[in-house]
Amino acid sequence: MSIDLEWIKLDATLASYLVDVLNRQLRNAERPSFIGPVEVTSLEFGTTAPDVELVDLRDIYRDFLEDDDDDSDRGPVKVTEGANDEDGFEWVSRRAPAKPEPPPNPYPNLQLHLHINWHSNLRITLTTSLLINYPSPMFMSLPIKLSITGIVFNGELAVAYEGQRKRIHICILDDLDPYGPAGDRPKRDSTIATPPEPDEDSPPTGTPSRPSKPLPIGQRLLPSIYIESEIGQADKHVLKNVTRVERFIQDVIRKTVEEELVFPNFHTLVMGDP
């Protein structure tokens, strides 16, 4: 079932939050010696909304629920009455008194699985510098401006609504993870894999070839990231489209998505009272 999104309602507050998330990841990312600190300066969502399809509706996955158990299952604790009297103690149970039954939850717990195909025209602007480390470290620094002008995303998103505590948990699922929230469901036929590596001593025609190796999860989710780069000052000579710098930023974006959102990692939004 397809779902229509009101894409124009994405506002500057969400854009600012995503900029902060990206900058935290960039500060901790390992950089090549020729790249200075990287900072995201702006983010625009663009006008192209993703194609969203509801593929599953189920109970909320157990990993999204926090363990709210108290100390009722723990054993007794030793409480000493006299500091110098080894026998002056008693065993006091830590079992908490029985709690009254909670009222019925008017808000159900449910989990949506959405397949998203997004050929976006969003725009993210970053700044960094190209470091010249010869004849000495940081001998010269050239400013770099990078603009991500589009991203292709193809993957499954899990949105879990925890009604009683008014929380929404969001993560991206790996189709190849057999233990994830969608591990018990038949896989889609869109898994991307690398072709078999060519071999000089290739077997004759008709001999079964080696099975292909799946791409990393970051490349499967984000097969294309379009970047424009400029090195130098705008009022002077500018060098455009530097491949090594663009490739580094692509790797950081894919790694950020994998470490922040791919299950078992997830983000939780706490909903306020209406």
Side-chain angles (χ1 to χ4, degrees):
M1 181 179 69
S2 298
I3 298 177
D4 295 328
L5 301 178
E6 295 191 46
W7 196 249
I8 59 175
K9 290 192 175 181
L10 296 179
D11 57 11
T13 301
L14 179 59
S16 178
Y17 169 77
L18 294 177
V19 167
D20 291 339
V21 170
L22 290 172
N23 280 329
R24 285 199 300 269
Q25 184 68 23
L26 288 169
R27 282 194 293 269
N28 298 326
E30 295 183 2
R31 303 190 308 271
S33 60
F34 58 87
I35 296 292
V38 182
E39 180 182 6
V40 179
T41 58
S42 67
L43 185 151
E44 300 173 7
F45 290 104
T47 58
T48 304
D51 295 327
V52 181
E53 178 186 359
L54 177 62
V55 296
D56 199 359
L57 180 64
R58 58 171 62 191
D59 292 334
I60 190 169
Y61 196 60
R62 60 182 181 275
D63 284 31
F64 295 134
L65 301 173
E66 293 182 357
D67 185 8
D68 291 332
D69 294 339
D70 50 25
D71 295 330
S72 60
D73 294 332
R74 298 183 184 179
V77 61
K78 179 180 178 181
V79 179
T80 303
E81 293 180 345
N84 298 322
D85 185 0
E86 294 182 358
D87 296 328
F89 65 84
E90 62 177 336
W91 290 97
V92 180
S93 175
R94 296 181 63 178
R95 185 172 299 277
K99 296 181 179 180
E101 289 291 333
N105 180 18
Y107 305 101
N109 292 343
L110 57 88
Q111 183 170 304
L112 305 176
H113 288 214
L114 308 171
H115 184 264
I116 297 177
N117 186 16
W118 186 27
H119 292 252
S120 73
N121 62 344
L122 89 171
R123 190 175 190 89
I124 304 175
T125 303
L126 309 93
T127 58
T128 183
S129 58
L130 179 64
L131 305 178
I132 309 299
N133 296 313
Y134 184 84
S136 61
M138 300 184 65
F139 177 73
M140 184 183 299
S141 176
L142 299 175
I144 299 178
K145 179 181 178 181
L146 298 163
S147 297
I148 301 172
T149 58
I151 287 179
V152 175
F153 177 88
N154 186 17
E156 184 172 328
L157 186 72
V159 181
Y161 177 61
E162 194 178 348
Q164 188 171 10
R165 296 194 302 167
K166 297 182 180 180
R167 297 186 179 188
I168 296 178
H169 311 284
I170 301 174
C171 73
I172 298 172
L173 305 181
D174 183 358
D175 284 345
L176 302 184
D177 181 6
Y179 305 106
D184 57 349
R185 201 178 66 238
K187 301 295 185 292
R188 300 176 69 94
D189 297 331
S190 58
T191 302
I192 303 174
T194 57
E197 297 180 0
D199 192 350
E200 294 180 358
D201 300 326
S202 57
T205 305
T207 303
S209 59
R210 291 178 299 172
S212 58
K213 180 181 179 182
L215 289 171
I217 177 63
Q219 284 187 271
R220 284 186 278 121
L221 293 172
L222 297 167
S224 299
I225 303 175
Y226 304 101
I227 297 178
E228 298 175 355
S229 60
E230 297 181 0
I231 297 181
Q233 298 179 353
D235 56 344
K236 298 181 181 179
H237 180 71
V238 174
L239 181 64
K240 295 186 177 183
N241 300 326
V242 183
T243 304
R244 293 184 66 182
V245 176
E246 294 174 2
R247 187 178 298 116
F248 166 70
I249 297 299
Q250 291 170 343
D251 292 341
V252 169
I253 293 174
R254 291 186 173 110
K255 184 177 181 181
T256 299
V257 170
E258 181 176 352
E259 293 183 349
E260 293 286 336
L261 282 173
V262 174
F263 186 84
N265 305 304
F266 61 90
H267 277 231
T268 298
L269 305 177
V270 179
M271 310 297 291
D273 294 329

